[in-house]
Amino acid sequence: MFELGLLLVTNGINDKLDSLRFSKEITVALHRFTCGDWGEMEQEDIEANNEALRNGERLFAAYKTSEGKIWIITEADRSATTILFPDEY
């Protein structure tokens, strides 16, 4: 649906990637994200992301994992996508 650009993970995410379960959850969340499934978002935020796809704005999604909620953010210019825990924002 859109370019991810450079894929980045924060230190908090990286520290948990040795867990096979969490690594799989990250992969699933990223797949959902690239397919336009914005995860656990309010309808207003889902609509904003759908509009951002058309207008080339920043994309933001949230997913539940065994390690807590994660966010995935793609920059408006599609140069980078970052996976992070909310407290790392």
Side-chain angles (χ1 to χ4, degrees):
M1 290 187 81
F2 56 93
E3 294 293 320
L4 292 176
L6 183 63
L7 185 59
L8 306 167
V9 297
T10 58
N11 287 335
I13 297 291
N14 190 56
D15 289 347
K16 305 285 185 181
L17 286 177
D18 58 347
S19 161
L20 186 58
R21 179 177 178 187
F22 184 64
S23 294
K24 181 174 173 133
E25 291 169 334
I26 293 290
T27 301
V28 169
L30 192 58
H31 176 74
R32 289 174 62 190
F33 183 72
T34 60
C35 291
D37 173 351
W38 311 120
E40 289 75 38
M41 304 285 286
E42 298 291 328
Q43 187 60 36
E44 180 178 307
D45 296 319
I46 291 170
E47 291 170 11
N49 271 347
N50 291 337
E51 184 69 22
L53 278 176
R54 292 187 286 276
N55 295 334
E57 296 171 7
R58 184 183 82 150
L59 299 167
F60 173 87
Y63 305 92
K64 293 178 184 174
T65 73
S66 59
E67 296 291 339
K69 184 180 282 189
I70 62 164
W71 289 352
I72 301 179
I73 302 171
T74 296
E75 301 302 325
D77 65 2
R78 306 300 187 254
S79 63
T81 296
T82 305
I83 303 171
L84 66 154
F85 290 114
D87 65 353
E88 296 179 295
Y89 187 73

